[in-house]
Amino acid sequence: MTRAQQDALSRTALGVFRLNGQLLAVSERLAEPAGLTAAWWQVLGAVLPEPLPVSGIARVMGITRQSVQRVADLLVREGLAAYAPNPAHRRAKLLAPTDAGRAAVRRIDPGHAELAARLMKELGGQEAFDETVRVLERLSRALESLEGPGDPEGAG
């Protein structure tokens, strides 16, 4: 690995860490008026299209199953989600949003739409926004394809 490659990796990591913090902060601000936290919104958002087991939510979000389990249990306790039987696995119940959970997420939509429009303008238009998304998705896929840090050649 050359110094330029190491520097690029370091700059990428620092940029992603900063971006993560920025996105979490703005997500907290957007979610608060709906009575949610960013984590609650994230987990509810993962199950809006279809109920998922906690392990499936964790995979989609790229975080630990234990973290998702804590949030899922809180969402159920607050009446924003419910556990349902999983026909594919007797013990791994499915998490599904309740009507109250769906309503809470809908309350975020206006602020979310406004932020998306402002961000699109700041990035220089929809094409630039779409390219930003593609680059981030490509980086994520590349990292997933690597077996881990033990391969110094990056061959995976």
Side-chain angles (χ1 to χ4, degrees):
M1 178 182 282
T2 67
R3 173 50 53 193
Q5 290 171 327
Q6 285 180 275
D7 289 347
L9 177 58
S10 293
R11 286 192 345 263
T12 299
L14 291 172
V16 169
F17 295 153
R18 181 168 187 225
L19 181 60
N20 181 60
Q22 291 169 314
L23 286 172
L24 287 173
V26 76
S27 295
E28 289 292 348
R29 286 194 302 273
L30 287 172
E32 185 180 23
L36 301 176
T37 67
W40 291 17
W41 180 22
Q42 193 176 19
V43 170
L44 278 172
V47 297
L48 285 177
E50 65 178 340
L52 292 170
V54 167
S55 61
I57 299 165
R59 250 188 319 281
V60 169
M61 293 172 45
I63 60 176
T64 67
R65 188 196 62 72
Q66 293 83 357
S67 296
V68 175
Q69 187 68 64
R70 281 192 293 274
V71 172
D73 290 344
L74 288 169
L75 290 170
V76 169
R77 189 182 77 209
E78 296 296 320
L80 299 169
Y83 288 116
N86 183 349
H89 193 286
R90 195 173 32 198
R91 288 185 12 190
K93 296 195 182 315
L94 299 173
L95 185 72
T98 61
D99 289 342
R102 288 182 185 282
V105 172
R106 277 194 304 274
R107 286 193 295 276
I108 298 170
D109 282 347
H112 187 258
E114 191 263 333
L115 176 62
R118 288 177 47 213
L119 190 53
M120 187 232 6
K121 184 177 178 186
E122 186 67 27
L123 287 169
Q126 190 63 51
E127 189 174 314
F129 203 166
D130 292 343
E131 179 61 19
T132 300
V133 172
R134 281 191 294 276
V135 168
L136 291 170
E137 289 171 341
R138 182 175 169 207
L139 177 60
S140 179
R141 284 190 309 273
L143 286 170
E144 281 178 353
S145 74
L146 301 177
E147 286 184 356
D151 182 359
E153 296 299 315

